[in-house]
Amino acid sequence: MKDNKQNTAVLLMHCPDQPGIIAVITEFINANGGNILYLDQYVDKINGIFYMRVEWDLDNFGIPSEKISDYFETLYANRYGMNFKISFTKKRQRMAIFVSKMSHCLYDILARYVAGEWDVEIPLIISNHPDMKVVAEQFNIPYEIIPVNKDNKVEMEAIEFDLLDKYNIDFIVLARYMQVLSEDFIKRYPNRIINIHHSFLPAFVGAKPYHAAYDRGVKLIGATSHYVTTELDAGPIIEQDIVRITHKDTIDDLVKKGRDLEKIVLSRAVEKHIQRKILTYRNKTVVFS
Amino acid sequence: MKDNKQNTAVLLMHCPDQPGIIAVITEFINANGGNILYLDQYVDKINGIFYMRVEWDLDNFGIPSEKISDYFETLYANRYGMNFKISFTKKRQRMAIFVSKMSHCLYDILARYVAGEWDVEIPLIISNHPDMKVVAEQFNIPYEIIPVNKDNKVEMEAIEFDLLDKYNIDFIVLARYMQVLSEDFIKRYPNRIINIHHSFLPAFVGAKPYHAAYDRGVKLIGATSHYVTTELDAGPIIEQDIVRITHKDTIDDLVKKGRDLEKIVLSRAVEKHIQRKILTYRNKTVVFS
Amino acid sequence: MKDNKQNTAVLLMHCPDQPGIIAVITEFINANGGNILYLDQYVDKINGIFYMRVEWDLDNFGIPSEKISDYFETLYANRYGMNFKISFTKKRQRMAIFVSKMSHCLYDILARYVAGEWDVEIPLIISNHPDMKVVAEQFNIPYEIIPVNKDNKVEMEAIEFDLLDKYNIDFIVLARYMQVLSEDFIKRYPNRIINIHHSFLPAFVGAKPYHAAYDRGVKLIGATSHYVTTELDAGPIIEQDIVRITHKDTIDDLVKKGRDLEKIVLSRAVEKHIQRKILTYRNKTVVFS
Amino acid sequence: MKDNKQNTAVLLMHCPDQPGIIAVITEFINANGGNILYLDQYVDKINGIFYMRVEWDLDNFGIPSEKISDYFETLYANRYGMNFKISFTKKRQRMAIFVSKMSHCLYDILARYVAGEWDVEIPLIISNHPDMKVVAEQFNIPYEIIPVNKDNKVEMEAIEFDLLDKYNIDFIVLARYMQVLSEDFIKRYPNRIINIHHSFLPAFVGAKPYHAAYDRGVKLIGATSHYVTTELDAGPIIEQDIVRITHKDTIDDLVKKGRDLEKIVLSRAVEKHIQRKILTYRNKTVVFS
């Protein structure tokens, strides 16, 4: 809801590592009147891959926004074998929240949203339960109840696809959403569905990780935000954190301590996604600072 | 090497929870002239088990040390179904270190030892390699090379048992020791062999956890100290900690960052063991503060 | 808003350390039919002070609730020089929030409140600004604007005292409230006003700690929750935490990272207070687990 | 002691921010046959300063090492107002340790040294006490006792200067060295003396920070490594970390927990210095990853 006065372009790219790429790209931006506001790059020496994020001011940039991608592809991307995406901060991204019955992640996201912390629109909340409708109403956001389950998944997801299209949703945040998405769903939004799992993955994949953590007697519990892929809890990890527990903590204590972790770890990942600071490659993420 | 001037008894116990146990035990100590220096207790409400650690000054205690366990068993342990152990801080415990080729945990332990941080004796280091002999010599500690491998384990461990007996070893610390102990070995030292595993267990059990962590793209790496049981990396966890990593960290970086974790996490566990502050039950630990 | 079905008594006490106190108190509870649900104690050996928190089930307790304090004082407190307080979980405490213009701590508290995480009532929000009225309305909580400043403090606080009395407020949470309370105000609520300061105290006392942290070039920023005393930012510390920063972080980044710290650190302190797990002594806190 | 096979140049620089600097410098390296192994840069937008670290392989670099600085200054540094330093990893830096009576930091450094973790030489240990001579002897490093105090500082430091010159010392690590260096000493080694202070600065400047932390009742203790400047404990901070404590911890416990912090925080700073990854500006550090 922040009034985004910036007018910048963000280039996210990776390509086989080779000398001179930074020079070529910064020269392209500078020569056309762009003022670089952010540049971070990383070279994966083991796999020989170069990753970069550059953001520049468009106010005096000589190439019209709608032609930048085209020019960049012709002039550089083809030549260097780049995989790239250029986006524009003038266009605010649109995010849908999927939620089931728990409110802590939902409130954390909506509180940041109305405080203007994030440059994003949240026009839609979808749930398989009516419980969180009261929260959506507090924030005046449409809340659609789609009672999806194992047996009606195809039909229910069809309704969800219509809603996501109708609201022009760019990416989806699963804020403790307790239904598994179909492969079809996941493939429509590659690297655009962010989930929070309540363990330090890869430990305790699947259901009831706090129970499993309690049974194993660990001294730390964690939370992991990741992009959803078709393999359960196995997508590219964006962010993780932990909190210390002791033998005194019951499963209820783990659930309570975990809630604070979950909401913070999920919101950190959502923020990085909104800022277009995440690149994925080979089921891993590059998260720029 | 600290000159331990304290003359105290430590009672570690657990039993079915029932009203009045604290009162009974503190009354036993007070009535016999013992001054309680430490008392911590914990009730596992789910399983209905009461755990306690009490330490008291023996200077004016009316019951001779050698009879305390006997009296306690007759008067209380049988009545309340207690599982208990009374030990005496006057008797310094004797610890053996097993090490392979890496020095970081070994140095961390020996530096604490000669600085007098721990009330323990370290009369013996055993290794399957000659590499760390130079370190043992720096600290004037006997270093026995037992080239154990999968094929000669029975004979080599027999030699180790003799050494452990000869040096009156109470407990063993595996300071990045890269051989799996036999079931026979483990059963001789129940809850008396402490290992350090270089991951946040139960993630990345087994060999090469840093490689596995790198491949999975986690954002945290960890280390876990635990008592050794016959199932690999599955014994009761004593202590865990993590450190944050990023996409920039190579496997070598993980190994480097992990070393600092490993040595600190192992030493914290060893210290708690020396202080007799660990109780185990159902493959989990109660670690008193 | 949780329906609190428990009917327990909580004893918080401290007194000069001496043998047998635990035995005496647990015997008192057991003998009168109370079932102890929680017992934690701590001895400050340096100052010779014994601290304890005991909670027991009142369902079969032989002494009527309204007489317990009286009996306990006569039978034990006088004899052992105890400073004690007995409270009853049946009576839900009533908390007022003071807030200025920032919403992050307020939302964090209210989200926990409506989710039933805390056994507390929040019947009143007071602010020196109208900005947060919209949040109070979302949660249907009375919001009183008292435009206090340095010049009108006496009159404005008189209005606040009336409100606090009218709503039977037990304790106050300053959720980033930007006015200094008068000495008179603070003395009315000893150890019952909880503040959040956005630094790891005692570093960066006073205004604009993030600016000061930025100027000093620290690599960590922190937040501290504490009871308010008449000396600014110098009251007993309840909880602290930190987050890592780098040279890349601007003051705005510190403010943003700090918000997540502030809300979590404040809520942890509020929860401990609600659970009656904090004892203060000599400007320090004992926080039971 | 690692055999450093790399032959690289490291450029550390800062200058007023302006478009095209990265392009210019990477072009300079690429055009002369250098293969860039590391590039990280940072722009301080508030003060308008550009910082960069570049490291490149010298094997096929066309300009002889001894002429690179000269060329770079003429061609670029003057033009862009750069403050820069080019160093060569072929030349192993030489580090002196100053220590008083405590061994934990000393052992931590020497253990890393003999394990080959660091590309550094440690030819000299200086102390104002004889206590640590035994440790120096374990590692076969010359140990010079210079009994400096407030009254003989000028003469004693003169001896130290001779020793530092004789051993060609590049930088100094104060590993819990309990004497204040003179202004003259500090000015000879600007940004080349690394100290460890046992608090999270700027809290608890000066003597006995653990006592001060205990008295204030903090819930965290910290350690800070920084470059020494003429104002006590006020130099540019390189690294900080904390550990959680509770009311149960005595001053002795703080000292014990603090030791692990101190050694890790100091060693992290020393490693960054050895890797030439620290730039200082306006009493703050830029620490590259």
Side-chain angles (χ1 to χ4, degrees):
Chain A
M1 296 194 158
K2 189 177 69 169
D3 190 15
N4 180 31
K5 297 206 183 71
Q6 282 207 319
N7 179 22
T8 68
V10 175
L11 166 68
L12 279 174
M13 60 142 290
H14 61 84
C15 67
D17 189 29
Q18 53 206 289
I21 299 178
I22 296 178
V24 160
I25 294 177
T26 58
E27 173 61 19
F28 163 72
I29 296 167
N30 291 324
N32 289 289
N35 180 26
I36 293 178
L37 300 171
Y38 177 102
L39 184 151
D40 204 359
Q41 101 303 336
Y42 157 67
V43 181
D44 175 348
K45 293 277 174 196
I46 291 158
N47 297 302
I49 300 170
F50 174 85
Y51 300 84
M52 188 162 70
R53 182 186 186 279
V54 199
E55 182 168 0
W56 68 96
D57 196 326
L58 289 171
D59 281 348
N60 299 305
F61 198 60
I63 307 172
S65 293
E66 66 276 13
K67 293 189 180 170
I68 297 175
S69 282
D70 192 35
Y71 277 41
F72 189 79
E73 181 152 28
T74 308
L75 294 170
Y76 306 104
N78 292 338
R79 177 148 48 114
Y80 291 98
M82 289 179 195
N83 188 319
F84 80 101
K85 186 176 177 192
I86 295 174
S87 43
F88 301 96
T89 53
K90 221 175 178 175
K91 195 228 167 253
R92 186 168 288 155
Q93 295 166 91
R94 297 170 68 81
M95 154 180 162
I97 303 172
F98 279 51
V99 68
S100 290
K101 292 182 166 185
M102 275 172 287
S103 64
H104 56 290
C105 289
L106 181 63
Y107 265 124
D108 199 70
I109 289 169
L110 296 179
R112 291 170 200 271
Y113 177 50
V114 297
E117 285 189 35
W118 289 344
D119 183 24
V120 78
E121 292 291 333
I122 305 180
L124 176 64
I125 299 171
I126 287 178
S127 180
N128 54 335
H129 292 288
D131 307 56
M132 292 296 108
K133 188 174 176 56
V134 59
V135 179
E137 284 172 352
Q138 282 182 306
F139 292 84
N140 278 316
I141 298 173
Y143 184 88
E144 300 283 348
I145 301 168
I146 316 288
V148 61
N149 58 42
K150 282 180 186 172
D151 301 320
N152 65 9
K153 194 160 286 183
V154 174
E155 309 95 89
M156 290 296 115
E157 289 193 346
I159 300 171
E160 292 172 346
F161 297 152
D162 286 346
L163 284 166
L164 295 170
D165 288 346
K166 175 183 157 194
Y167 284 96
N168 288 310
I169 296 303
D170 293 302
F171 71 101
I172 294 162
V173 173
L174 308 182
R176 297 301 310 275
Y177 180 65
M178 298 283 99
Q179 285 289 319
V180 176
L181 304 179
S182 74
E183 207 173 306
D184 178 31
F185 193 134
I186 292 164
K187 287 186 172 166
R188 281 172 185 245
Y189 291 91
N191 293 329
R192 292 195 284 149
I193 306 170
I194 301 171
N195 185 40
I196 180 72
H197 184 75
H198 40 311
S199 81
F200 47 81
L201 290 175
F204 309 126
V205 165
K208 295 203 172 286
Y210 291 132
H211 288 73
Y214 178 81
D215 288 343
R216 181 61 187 92
V218 294
K219 300 298 184 187
L220 309 168
I221 55 169
T224 304
S225 52
H226 63 95
Y227 286 121
V228 175
T229 57
T230 53
E231 189 183 342
L232 185 67
D233 298 331
I237 292 171
I238 304 168
E239 169 70 352
Q240 301 187 285
D241 213 339
I242 59 95
V243 70
R244 194 164 277 276
I245 60 167
T246 77
H247 59 270
K248 294 186 187 177
D249 288 300
T250 62
I251 291 175
D252 282 351
D253 294 328
L254 303 199
V255 169
K256 171 176 278 195
K257 290 187 175 183
R259 275 194 298 253
D260 280 357
L261 268 185
E262 293 162 22
K263 72 186 187 191
I264 298 293
V265 168
L266 178 58
S267 286
R268 284 185 195 150
V270 171
E271 179 167 309
K272 287 291 183 184
H273 185 91
I274 291 170
Q275 296 171 333
R276 301 165 172 94
K277 288 195 167 172
I278 312 175
L279 266 168
T280 57
Y281 192 75
R282 293 187 182 173
N283 208 43
K284 296 167 72 169
T285 61
V286 171
V287 182
F288 290 108
S289 63
Chain B
M1 294 193 162
K2 189 177 67 168
D3 190 17
N4 180 31
K5 298 208 182 70
Q6 281 206 318
N7 180 21
T8 67
V10 175
L11 167 67
L12 278 174
M13 59 142 291
H14 61 82
C15 67
D17 189 28
Q18 55 206 289
I21 299 179
I22 296 179
V24 161
I25 294 177
T26 58
E27 172 60 20
F28 164 72
I29 296 167
N30 291 325
N32 289 289
N35 180 26
I36 293 178
L37 300 171
Y38 177 103
L39 184 152
D40 204 359
Q41 103 301 339
Y42 156 66
V43 181
D44 175 348
K45 293 277 173 196
I46 292 159
N47 297 302
I49 300 168
F50 175 86
Y51 300 84
M52 189 161 69
R53 183 187 187 276
V54 200
E55 182 167 359
W56 68 96
D57 196 327
L58 288 171
D59 281 350
N60 298 308
F61 199 60
I63 306 172
S65 293
E66 65 277 12
K67 294 189 179 169
I68 297 176
S69 282
D70 193 33
Y71 278 40
F72 189 78
E73 180 153 27
T74 308
L75 294 171
Y76 306 104
N78 292 338
R79 176 145 52 113
Y80 291 98
M82 289 180 194
N83 188 319
F84 80 102
K85 187 176 178 194
I86 295 173
S87 42
F88 300 96
T89 54
K90 221 176 179 175
K91 195 230 167 254
R92 187 168 287 155
Q93 296 165 92
R94 296 170 69 81
M95 153 180 160
I97 302 172
F98 279 53
V99 69
S100 290
K101 292 182 165 186
M102 276 172 287
S103 63
H104 56 290
C105 289
L106 181 63
Y107 265 124
D108 198 70
I109 289 168
L110 296 179
R112 292 170 200 271
Y113 177 50
V114 298
E117 285 189 34
W118 290 343
D119 183 25
V120 78
E121 293 292 332
I122 305 179
L124 176 64
I125 299 171
I126 287 179
S127 181
N128 54 335
H129 293 288
D131 306 57
M132 292 296 107
K133 188 173 176 54
V134 59
V135 179
E137 285 172 352
Q138 282 181 305
F139 291 85
N140 280 316
I141 298 173
Y143 183 89
E144 299 284 348
I145 301 169
I146 315 289
V148 60
N149 58 42
K150 282 181 186 171
D151 302 321
N152 65 10
K153 194 159 288 182
V154 174
E155 309 94 90
M156 290 297 117
E157 288 193 346
I159 300 171
E160 292 173 346
F161 297 152
D162 286 347
L163 284 166
L164 295 170
D165 287 346
K166 175 183 156 195
Y167 284 96
N168 288 311
I169 297 302
D170 293 302
F171 70 101
I172 294 161
V173 174
L174 308 183
R176 297 298 312 275
Y177 179 65
M178 300 283 99
Q179 285 290 320
V180 175
L181 304 179
S182 74
E183 210 174 303
D184 178 31
F185 194 133
I186 291 164
K187 287 185 172 166
R188 283 173 183 246
Y189 292 91
N191 292 330
R192 293 194 285 147
I193 307 169
I194 300 171
N195 185 40
I196 180 73
H197 182 75
H198 40 312
S199 80
F200 46 81
L201 288 175
F204 309 126
V205 165
K208 294 200 171 291
Y210 291 133
H211 288 72
Y214 178 82
D215 289 343
R216 180 61 187 91
V218 293
K219 300 298 184 188
L220 308 169
I221 56 169
T224 304
S225 52
H226 63 94
Y227 286 121
V228 175
T229 57
T230 52
E231 188 182 344
L232 185 68
D233 298 333
I237 292 171
I238 304 168
E239 168 71 351
Q240 302 187 284
D241 213 340
I242 58 97
V243 69
R244 194 164 276 277
I245 60 168
T246 77
H247 58 270
K248 294 186 186 176
D249 288 298
T250 63
I251 290 175
D252 282 350
D253 294 329
L254 303 199
V255 169
K256 171 176 280 197
K257 290 187 175 182
R259 277 195 297 253
D260 281 356
L261 268 185
E262 294 162 21
K263 72 186 187 192
I264 298 293
V265 168
L266 178 58
S267 286
R268 284 186 195 149
V270 171
E271 179 168 308
K272 287 291 184 184
H273 185 92
I274 291 170
Q275 295 171 335
R276 301 163 172 96
K277 289 196 167 172
I278 311 175
L279 265 168
T280 57
Y281 192 74
R282 295 189 181 171
N283 208 43
K284 295 167 72 169
T285 61
V286 171
V287 181
F288 290 108
S289 62
Chain C
M1 294 194 162
K2 190 177 70 167
D3 189 16
N4 180 32
K5 297 208 183 69
Q6 282 207 318
N7 180 20
T8 68
V10 175
L11 167 68
L12 279 174
M13 60 141 291
H14 61 83
C15 67
D17 189 28
Q18 53 206 291
I21 298 178
I22 296 178
V24 161
I25 293 176
T26 57
E27 172 61 18
F28 163 72
I29 296 167
N30 291 325
N32 289 289
N35 180 26
I36 293 178
L37 300 171
Y38 176 103
L39 184 152
D40 204 359
Q41 102 303 336
Y42 156 66
V43 181
D44 175 348
K45 293 276 174 196
I46 291 158
N47 298 302
I49 299 169
F50 175 86
Y51 301 84
M52 190 163 67
R53 182 187 187 277
V54 199
E55 182 168 0
W56 68 97
D57 197 326
L58 288 172
D59 281 348
N60 299 306
F61 198 60
I63 305 173
S65 293
E66 67 277 12
K67 293 190 180 168
I68 297 176
S69 282
D70 192 34
Y71 278 40
F72 189 79
E73 182 154 26
T74 308
L75 294 171
Y76 306 104
N78 292 338
R79 176 147 49 115
Y80 290 97
M82 289 180 194
N83 187 320
F84 80 101
K85 186 177 178 192
I86 295 174
S87 42
F88 300 97
T89 54
K90 220 175 181 177
K91 195 228 167 254
R92 185 168 287 154
Q93 295 166 92
R94 297 170 68 81
M95 152 181 162
I97 303 172
F98 279 53
V99 68
S100 289
K101 292 182 165 185
M102 276 172 288
S103 64
H104 56 291
C105 289
L106 181 63
Y107 266 124
D108 199 70
I109 289 169
L110 295 179
R112 292 170 200 270
Y113 177 50
V114 298
E117 284 190 35
W118 290 344
D119 183 24
V120 77
E121 293 291 332
I122 305 180
L124 175 65
I125 299 171
I126 287 178
S127 180
N128 55 334
H129 293 288
D131 306 57
M132 292 296 108
K133 188 173 177 55
V134 59
V135 179
E137 285 173 352
Q138 283 182 304
F139 291 85
N140 280 315
I141 297 173
Y143 184 88
E144 300 284 348
I145 301 169
I146 315 289
V148 60
N149 58 42
K150 282 181 186 172
D151 302 321
N152 65 10
K153 193 160 287 183
V154 174
E155 309 94 90
M156 291 296 116
E157 288 194 345
I159 300 171
E160 291 173 346
F161 297 153
D162 286 346
L163 284 167
L164 296 170
D165 288 347
K166 174 182 158 195
Y167 285 95
N168 287 310
I169 297 302
D170 293 302
F171 71 101
I172 294 162
V173 173
L174 308 182
R176 297 300 312 275
Y177 180 65
M178 299 282 98
Q179 284 290 320
V180 176
L181 304 179
S182 75
E183 208 173 305
D184 178 30
F185 193 132
I186 292 164
K187 287 186 172 166
R188 282 173 184 246
Y189 292 90
N191 293 329
R192 293 194 285 147
I193 306 169
I194 300 171
N195 186 40
I196 180 74
H197 183 75
H198 41 311
S199 80
F200 46 82
L201 290 174
F204 309 125
V205 165
K208 294 200 173 290
Y210 291 132
H211 288 74
Y214 178 83
D215 288 343
R216 180 62 187 91
V218 293
K219 300 298 184 188
L220 308 169
I221 56 169
T224 304
S225 51
H226 64 95
Y227 286 121
V228 175
T229 57
T230 53
E231 189 183 343
L232 185 66
D233 298 331
I237 292 171
I238 303 168
E239 168 70 353
Q240 301 187 284
D241 213 341
I242 59 96
V243 69
R244 194 165 276 277
I245 60 168
T246 78
H247 59 269
K248 294 186 186 177
D249 288 299
T250 63
I251 290 175
D252 282 350
D253 294 329
L254 303 200
V255 169
K256 171 177 279 196
K257 290 187 175 184
R259 276 195 297 253
D260 281 356
L261 268 185
E262 293 161 22
K263 71 186 187 191
I264 298 293
V265 168
L266 178 58
S267 286
R268 283 186 195 149
V270 171
E271 180 168 308
K272 287 291 184 185
H273 184 92
I274 290 170
Q275 296 172 334
R276 300 165 172 95
K277 289 195 168 172
I278 311 175
L279 265 168
T280 57
Y281 192 75
R282 293 188 182 172
N283 208 43
K284 296 167 72 168
T285 61
V286 171
V287 181
F288 291 108
S289 62
Chain D
M1 295 194 158
K2 189 178 69 167
D3 190 15
N4 180 31
K5 296 204 183 72
Q6 281 206 320
N7 179 21
T8 68
V10 175
L11 167 67
L12 278 174
M13 60 142 290
H14 61 84
C15 67
D17 189 29
Q18 53 207 289
I21 299 179
I22 297 178
V24 161
I25 294 177
T26 58
E27 173 61 19
F28 163 73
I29 296 167
N30 290 324
N32 289 290
N35 181 26
I36 293 178
L37 300 171
Y38 176 103
L39 184 153
D40 204 359
Q41 102 301 336
Y42 156 66
V43 181
D44 176 349
K45 293 277 173 195
I46 291 159
N47 297 303
I49 300 169
F50 175 86
Y51 300 85
M52 189 161 69
R53 182 186 187 276
V54 200
E55 182 167 2
W56 68 96
D57 196 327
L58 289 170
D59 282 349
N60 299 306
F61 199 61
I63 306 172
S65 292
E66 66 277 11
K67 293 189 180 170
I68 297 175
S69 282
D70 193 34
Y71 277 41
F72 189 80
E73 180 152 29
T74 308
L75 294 171
Y76 306 104
N78 292 338
R79 177 145 51 113
Y80 291 97
M82 289 180 194
N83 189 318
F84 81 101
K85 185 175 179 194
I86 295 173
S87 43
F88 301 95
T89 53
K90 222 176 178 174
K91 195 230 167 252
R92 186 167 288 155
Q93 296 166 90
R94 296 170 68 81
M95 155 180 159
I97 302 171
F98 279 52
V99 69
S100 290
K101 293 182 165 185
M102 276 171 285
S103 63
H104 56 290
C105 289
L106 182 62
Y107 266 124
D108 198 70
I109 289 168
L110 296 179
R112 292 170 200 271
Y113 178 50
V114 298
E117 284 189 35
W118 290 343
D119 183 24
V120 77
E121 291 291 333
I122 304 180
L124 176 64
I125 298 171
I126 287 178
S127 180
N128 54 334
H129 292 288
D131 306 57
M132 291 298 107
K133 188 174 177 55
V134 59
V135 179
E137 285 173 350
Q138 283 182 304
F139 291 85
N140 280 316
I141 298 173
Y143 184 89
E144 299 284 349
I145 301 168
I146 315 289
V148 60
N149 59 41
K150 281 181 187 172
D151 301 321
N152 65 10
K153 194 159 288 184
V154 174
E155 310 94 89
M156 290 297 116
E157 288 193 346
I159 300 171
E160 291 173 345
F161 298 152
D162 286 346
L163 284 166
L164 296 170
D165 287 346
K166 174 183 157 195
Y167 285 96
N168 287 311
I169 296 302
D170 293 301
F171 70 101
I172 294 161
V173 173
L174 308 183
R176 298 298 313 274
Y177 180 65
M178 300 283 97
Q179 285 289 320
V180 175
L181 303 179
S182 75
E183 208 172 306
D184 178 29
F185 194 133
I186 292 164
K187 287 186 172 166
R188 283 172 183 246
Y189 292 90
N191 293 329
R192 292 194 285 147
I193 306 170
I194 300 171
N195 186 41
I196 180 74
H197 183 75
H198 39 313
S199 80
F200 47 81
L201 289 174
F204 309 125
V205 165
K208 295 203 173 287
Y210 291 132
H211 288 73
Y214 179 82
D215 288 342
R216 180 61 187 91
V218 294
K219 301 298 184 187
L220 309 169
I221 56 169
T224 304
S225 52
H226 63 95
Y227 286 122
V228 176
T229 58
T230 52
E231 189 183 343
L232 185 68
D233 298 332
I237 292 171
I238 304 168
E239 168 71 352
Q240 301 187 284
D241 213 341
I242 59 96
V243 70
R244 194 163 277 276
I245 60 168
T246 76
H247 59 269
K248 295 186 186 176
D249 289 300
T250 63
I251 291 175
D252 282 351
D253 294 329
L254 303 199
V255 169
K256 171 176 280 197
K257 290 187 175 184
R259 278 194 296 252
D260 281 356
L261 268 186
E262 293 162 21
K263 72 187 187 191
I264 298 292
V265 168
L266 178 59
S267 286
R268 284 185 195 150
V270 171
E271 179 167 308
K272 287 291 184 185
H273 185 92
I274 291 170
Q275 295 172 334
R276 300 163 172 97
K277 289 195 168 172
I278 311 175
L279 265 167
T280 57
Y281 191 76
R282 294 187 182 174
N283 207 43
K284 295 166 72 169
T285 60
V286 171
V287 181
F288 290 109
S289 62

